[in-house]
Amino acid sequence: MQAEKQYIDLYTQERQTIFEHSADVMNTVRDEAFEDFKHQGFPSTKVERYKYTDISKLFEPDYGLNLNRLDIPVNPYQAFKCGVPNLSTQLYFVVNDSFYTKSLPPRQLPDGVMIDSLKAVATQHPELIQKYYAKLAKTGQDAITALNTMLAQDGLVVYIPKNVKVDRTIQVVNILRSDVDLMVNRRVLVVLEEGAEARLLFCDDSADDRNFLATQVIEAYVGENASLEMYCLEETHLKNTRVSNVYIEQQANSRVNHDVITLHNGYTRNRLDLTLKGEGAECFCNGCVIADKEQRVDNNTVIDHQVPHCTSNELYKYVLNDHAVGAFAGLVLVREGAQKTSSQMTNQNLCATREARMYTQPMLEIYADDVKCAHGSTVGQLNDAALFYMCQRGIGMKEAKMLLQIAFIGQVIDQISLEPLRDRLRHLVEMRFRGELKQCEGCSCK
């Protein structure tokens, strides 16, 4: 209970400070989240969805928190230059867990679109935030979500009105910046009304060589006939711990692409809960993990088919080197009455060394009889015959191994529909396997 106790004591002692530096709408659910956290405590590895991650251990160190919302001395618009050519994004920054509002460049957004601080929008449009905030991310069902809800003071809102299409990709760079070890609690609310379309690219970067602990909760509502593409790219460092919970709800005939790419990290735990609530909805969920040294990456997904005639496709691939550890647990739940469901889940993993470890658990839970559902998982090593063939044709062993690993990951990269990002990621993946990738090319964050 030591890990839980420090956060219980923190909230008890600093509750007033947390309230003063946030918005009323966020504060209304804070005490309930605190009670839920006290009741649950951090989940042990005996809890099914956390069997591969010792959460208590991640939260035991004593991190600082910026509860008084002191200004962080950084101008990300000067420090960061995106290295993805031809992407032409609308660029925004979240510094630690606060939306950066200073020196915002001119925006060319359609009427009614809001991309702003969660605290600011909750103050100006409380009815909008109250309708959606903490409705998908239920604090009584997950301790990390409860912890984030009780501590988060700001975040990001992306609101796209009915039938509005945002042509330019919305790029949000999450920068971790601190002179001391720091915990941040980031919150994101995404709302696409009926017929809306948007692409979001989240990039996680660390600007300082400190120990960081980041919790993140993303709630995304995708209305009828709406389309959301959401890409999450992590390029931090070995001292970074990231625990992210993503909740997505889809209405009828909506489409979601959710891609999570881990290129550099320390300890990462990603959770995805996606609910198909309207007939004709479809989702494509992809994951790409490259890990070495002592890095750990755990992806846990649940896709909940609640109504008939919905489609889900899931593809996660890992390449693990050195002593890296990977885990994937995915559940496709087909509820009673959800006939004509079509679902495919695939998890393929490559352990490039004997010391690397991979844990995989794909699952189907089906309560309807007219469905097409399949799942599969593989864990293997580099193909000796392919290596021998390439070496016989003058390719060195090191280069041959690298090319096979790039080809293995390539299937996930090919699923990305945003062409400039897809092309750029191919280059970043090659640099990563060559040991040349330290941060995004063009990024001058120091």
Side-chain angles (χ1 to χ4, degrees):
M1 286 291 294
Q2 185 59 38
E4 291 91 342
K5 186 178 185 303
Q6 68 170 316
Y7 293 102
I8 292 171
D9 292 345
L10 170 70
Y11 186 82
T12 302
Q13 297 166 11
E14 301 293 341
R15 177 182 180 276
Q16 189 60 36
T17 300
I18 295 171
F19 272 61
E20 288 175 358
H21 294 278
S22 191
D24 289 343
V25 174
M26 299 178 70
N27 290 337
T28 56
V29 297
R30 208 177 292 280
D31 285 343
E32 182 181 353
F34 174 61
E35 293 300 325
D36 287 336
F37 177 75
K38 282 201 303 182
H39 174 72
Q40 296 174 79
F42 287 119
S44 71
T45 53
K46 294 181 180 179
V47 176
E48 183 67 26
R49 295 200 69 175
Y50 286 91
K51 66 189 299 182
Y52 302 118
T53 300
D54 187 349
I55 288 293
S56 293
K57 184 178 180 181
L58 301 183
F59 285 83
E60 280 178 359
D62 185 13
Y63 293 89
L65 288 96
N66 186 13
L67 298 181
N68 287 299
R69 317 314 290 168
L70 302 176
D71 285 340
I72 305 298
V74 62
N75 184 343
Y77 286 97
Q78 295 179 355
F80 179 89
K81 297 293 184 294
C82 180
V84 183
N86 305 319
L87 195 53
S88 184
T89 63
Q90 294 275 12
L91 183 59
Y92 300 87
F93 290 90
V94 173
V95 179
N96 295 332
D97 49 18
S98 295
F99 182 75
Y100 188 83
T101 57
K102 299 178 182 178
S103 306
L104 283 172
R107 300 297 177 198
Q108 296 179 343
L109 294 170
D111 291 341
V113 173
M114 285 191 291
I115 303 172
D116 206 343
S117 157
L118 176 58
K119 177 183 175 182
V121 176
T123 302
Q124 299 163 9
H125 306 279
E127 71 290 341
L128 174 65
I129 303 304
Q130 189 171 21
K131 181 179 178 181
Y132 295 105
Y133 183 74
K135 297 299 191 295
L136 288 182
K138 299 184 185 303
T139 58
Q141 298 179 4
D142 184 83
I144 303 303
T145 296
L147 180 68
N148 179 278
T149 303
M150 78 188 209
L151 295 178
Q153 295 169 283
D154 194 8
L156 171 72
V157 172
V158 178
Y159 173 77
I160 316 295
K162 182 178 179 179
N163 295 326
V164 172
K165 179 179 180 181
V166 180
D167 293 323
R168 296 179 66 183
T169 300
I170 299 166
Q171 183 179 12
V172 180
V173 180
N174 299 313
I175 293 181
L176 295 171
R177 167 75 179 90
S178 178
D179 295 328
V180 298
D181 295 349
L182 186 70
M183 177 186 185
V184 304
N185 298 285
R186 190 182 307 126
R187 196 75 182 217
V188 180
L189 178 61
V190 179
V191 179
L192 271 65
E193 299 285 7
E194 180 182 345
E197 295 183 24
R199 289 189 302 267
L200 301 177
L201 169 60
F202 293 98
C203 302
D204 281 19
D205 291 280
S206 299
D208 293 296
D209 187 26
R210 306 298 306 188
N211 293 309
F212 289 103
L213 170 61
T215 73
Q216 174 177 267
V217 172
I218 298 177
E219 295 177 281
Y221 297 82
V222 186
E224 187 173 343
N225 292 306
S227 176
L228 172 65
E229 296 178 25
M230 187 160 69
Y231 307 101
C232 301
L233 172 63
E234 182 180 5
E235 292 183 275
T236 53
H237 56 55
L238 289 171
K239 295 181 180 180
N240 188 67
T241 299
R242 177 181 186 263
V243 184
S244 174
N245 289 357
V246 177
Y247 300 88
I248 302 175
E249 181 181 277
Q250 294 186 238
Q251 300 301 327
N253 301 308
S254 62
R255 178 186 173 94
V256 165
N257 276 48
H258 177 266
D259 295 79
V260 55
I261 301 114
T262 306
L263 294 185
H264 264 302
N265 75 305
Y267 202 133
T268 296
R269 209 270 176 172
N270 297 316
R271 167 175 172 156
L272 170 65
D273 286 23
L274 190 148
T275 304
L276 302 160
K277 292 186 71 71
E279 293 192 28
E282 60 178 355
C283 66
F284 300 85
C285 304
N286 303 301
C288 164
V289 173
I290 302 172
D292 53 19
K293 303 181 179 67
E294 305 291 334
Q295 296 169 334
R296 298 178 66 99
V297 182
D298 178 359
N299 282 293
N300 188 289
T301 70
V302 171
I303 298 180
D304 186 355
H305 288 258
Q306 295 190 351
V307 295
H309 300 284
C310 290
T311 302
S312 65
N313 291 276
E314 200 169 1
L315 173 64
Y316 277 74
K317 285 197 168 192
Y318 289 61
V319 174
L320 306 175
N321 278 279
D322 301 329
H323 291 84
V325 177
F328 172 82
L331 169 65
V332 173
L333 171 61
V334 182
R335 295 185 183 268
E336 185 175 354
Q339 307 293 354
K340 304 297 183 181
T341 289
S342 177
S343 178
Q344 174 67 49
M345 179 198 302
T346 304
N347 173 227
Q348 296 176 332
N349 310 286
L350 180 61
C351 291
T353 63
R354 292 185 179 276
E355 293 77 23
R357 292 290 181 268
M358 182 68 202
Y359 303 93
T360 178
Q361 186 182 22
M363 297 170 283
L364 296 176
E365 191 172 333
I366 302 172
Y367 299 97
D369 54 13
D370 187 7
V371 301
K372 293 182 180 179
C373 297
H375 69 309
S377 176
T378 60
V379 180
Q381 295 182 315
L382 292 170
N383 187 295
D384 289 337
L387 286 172
F388 177 77
Y389 179 87
M390 296 172 75
C391 290
Q392 286 293 97
R393 279 146 184 81
I395 301 175
M397 179 61 73
K398 184 177 180 180
E399 185 77 6
K401 289 182 178 180
M402 185 199 68
L403 292 174
L404 287 177
Q405 293 176 69
I406 291 173
F408 181 80
I409 286 292
Q411 185 182 357
V412 177
I413 304 300
D414 290 343
Q415 303 297 315
I416 295 175
S417 59
L418 188 58
E419 184 177 357
L421 177 61
R422 182 174 67 243
D423 294 342
R424 183 61 182 162
L425 281 174
R426 290 194 183 106
H427 177 61
L428 292 177
V429 166
E430 180 175 346
M431 291 176 64
R432 175 70 174 90
F433 281 123
R434 291 186 183 277
E436 300 171 357
L437 181 62
K438 302 301 181 185
Q439 56 189 11
C440 282
E441 184 177 317
C443 175
S444 57
C445 291
K446 301 298 183 186

